[in-house]
Amino acid sequence: MREMGRILKKIWRKEYREPLSVAIFLFAVTFLFLLNSPLHIWIGADSGTDSSVFKTVAFMMDKGYMPYRDTFDHKGPLIYILNWIGNHISAYRGIWAVEFISLYITFAGIYKIARLKCGRFCSAVTLLVSASLLFSWFKGGNYTEEYALPFITVSLYIFIDYLLNQKVGRLRLAVCGLSFGAVCLLRVNMISVWMIFCMAIFIRCIMEKKYLELRKFVGFFLLGFCIIVLPMMLWLLMNHALQDFWEEYIRFNLVYTSAAGGRALFSAKWEAFFAFFDKPLLLFCIVISVYMWRDNKLLYGLCICYLFATLLLISMAGMTYGHYGMILVPAAAFPVASLFGLIDKSFAESVDRAVLVLITGCFLCVAVMPDWFKLVESLPQIYSERETEHTSEVVNAVCRMIEENTSAEDKISVYGNWDIIYIRSSRVHATKYSYQYPIGDVMPGILDAYWEELERELPEMIVVQQGRYDGSMSDFVMTHGYQILWAENVENGAMVFAKQ
């Protein structure tokens, strides 16, 4: 015991105290926030719509199928790789471990950004303030935005540290390029941090005639980019999925974000922009950046440009899906840290500190802390119910029906957008399209291809999502002699049909 005490005392020496205490704090905040995930180890509820799609693609990969070629979705390949890793940790909740690592790195990056301007305590508060935006935008997690956050935050830290302290190195440049590549492999409209800061640094190097330095920047950045992108493209090429990747990830998304897809009119983009911009904290960050302009025109000007560029990119689709806003979280970190830096300075110089602290305290109490308090309040109840079944009765009933009437090798089809049925029943989908809406509204040809494949495959069972039983499905099941086995609500509920 005495020896153990000496070891612990040695570990807790002054030089280790801060990193260990910060690591524990970050762990606690990450674990606490992820109580918002239905896949949390204490919850295990139904995964969300998009999350279920990603998990289905990963499930199909385990069965020997390829994304894009054999199972349609229009996100980048990295999201499926991450969900595949999650499946190998644990069949259903394993992705939560990947979420935890992703969010932990994000919070660590925000803390590091804050440390560039203020002390340990204020940096911790900066993290809580910035992360408070996630409460509105997390929406259950396992989204591309969530996995883009660590790459965006780390790169933002590298850019700010360079512009503030001229710190740059080969490893940092490669990490920045790798992060850019990773986000491109998730969804390309999340690259605003590189668009703004890389362009600014490039122009500055040209104006100052630092050509050798610029060559080093570009070279190692591209090296990092290629380290992650080339293996992924080679994997798709070797498995004959590269052309399908182009059609679904590039061509489909171009239609999806245009008026031709019927979902991205200018008025919709305009409304989406202000829907995401309508956050007191974001407005507060702009005010802080404008005020701090006099201290560093370039850096705070870039912070404002970065915030608006992010808003413009996430508004491209004209949709107000909450999870799109997640990538705005890192944009709040440096302005908020700058405010707390002023507070630190005011304490040191005894200048207007009472007024500054009072204003900041009021803002925290009204706009930030209530969400964290609610989460802490819910902690005992969530823990006490950790062994309780949280999946919906309808999902359980449908999956039980599938398991009782098909074998593990049989294929099924779910009509609508309800991919959790494939995951919970462990059945592969019969056609390339595990879901048909809203993608069939964007490209009607997708629905034609779905019906053609369904005609060829004639799966053992067809599940119709609530509200999706239409004339096309009615004609199909009647023509091919499918019998209804189960219906939650004959008029407008979920339905299960079996082949006779």
Side-chain angles (χ1 to χ4, degrees), residues 45-47 52 56 92 395 399 418-425:
D46 294 343
S47 52
S52 296
T56 297
Y92 186 68
V395 170
C399 292
W418 203 19
D419 276 21
I420 192 171
I421 300 299
Y422 301 113
I423 303 161
R424 287 297 198 181
S425 65

Side-chain angles (χ1 to χ4, degrees), residues 214-442:
L214 180 60
R215 188 169 66 178
K216 183 180 93 170
F217 288 173
V218 173
F220 283 98
F221 183 90
L222 289 177
L223 175 64
F225 177 82
C226 292
I227 284 172
I228 190 168
V229 171
L230 289 183
M232 199 73 74
M233 294 301 103
L234 185 62
W235 172 61
L236 293 171
L237 178 64
M238 296 290 288
N239 287 280
H240 311 289
L242 193 59
Q243 179 62 34
D244 296 284
F245 162 78
W246 176 265
E247 291 295 322
E248 294 168 31
Y249 183 51
I250 305 298
R251 185 166 171 267
F252 177 88
N253 282 323
L254 287 174
V255 176
Y256 187 81
T257 56
S258 70
R263 297 165 56 84
L265 301 174
F266 176 78
S267 59
K269 296 174 191 280
W270 183 264
E271 290 172 10
F273 179 91
F274 284 99
F276 290 111
F277 192 32
D278 187 23
K279 291 289 181 186
L281 182 56
L282 294 181
L283 298 170
F284 195 53
C285 288
I286 292 174
V287 171
I288 296 168
S289 297
V290 171
Y291 178 78
M292 298 295 294
W293 180 284
R294 59 186 179 183
D295 290 347
N296 193 322
K297 290 184 176 60
L298 175 62
L299 181 52
Y300 287 100
L302 290 176
C303 286
I304 295 172
C305 291
Y306 163 49
L307 177 58
F308 279 105
T310 305
L311 284 165
L312 288 170
L313 288 178
I314 65 177
S315 304
M316 283 174 58
M319 296 289 110
T320 55
Y321 298 137
H323 58 90
Y324 285 4
M326 271 196 268
I327 60 171
L328 285 163
V329 172
F334 189 68
V336 172
S338 298
L339 173 64
F340 286 118
L342 283 177
I343 293 175
D344 279 350
K345 186 177 179 182
S346 71
F347 269 97
E349 299 177 357
S350 299
V351 179
D352 295 329
R353 62 184 180 185
V355 175
L356 194 57
V357 170
L358 183 61
I359 293 172
T360 306
C362 289
F363 178 79
L364 290 175
C365 292
V366 172
V368 175
M369 298 314 295
D371 288 319
W372 286 106
F373 287 148
K374 286 178 185 176
L375 200 56
V376 172
E377 181 187 3
S378 68
L379 187 60
Q381 182 180 350
I382 292 173
Y383 180 76
S384 65
E385 296 177 353
R386 67 192 183 281
E387 303 296 336
T388 305
E389 177 66 50
H390 292 285
T391 54
S392 71
E393 292 181 9
V394 175
V395 170
N396 282 336
V398 170
C399 292
R400 186 165 54 249
M401 188 69 61
I402 293 169
E403 290 165 0
E404 290 172 355
N405 291 275
T406 64
S407 66
E409 293 75 29
D410 288 334
K411 297 179 180 180
I412 67 170
S413 181
V414 178
Y415 188 58
N417 193 338
W418 203 19
D419 276 21
I420 192 171
I421 300 299
Y422 301 113
I423 303 161
R424 287 297 198 181
S425 65
S426 298
R427 300 295 189 268
V428 301
H429 50 86
T431 75
K432 180 175 179 176
Y433 304 97
S434 64
Y435 65 103
Q436 304 78 38
Y437 297 96
I439 57 174
D441 295 327
V442 178

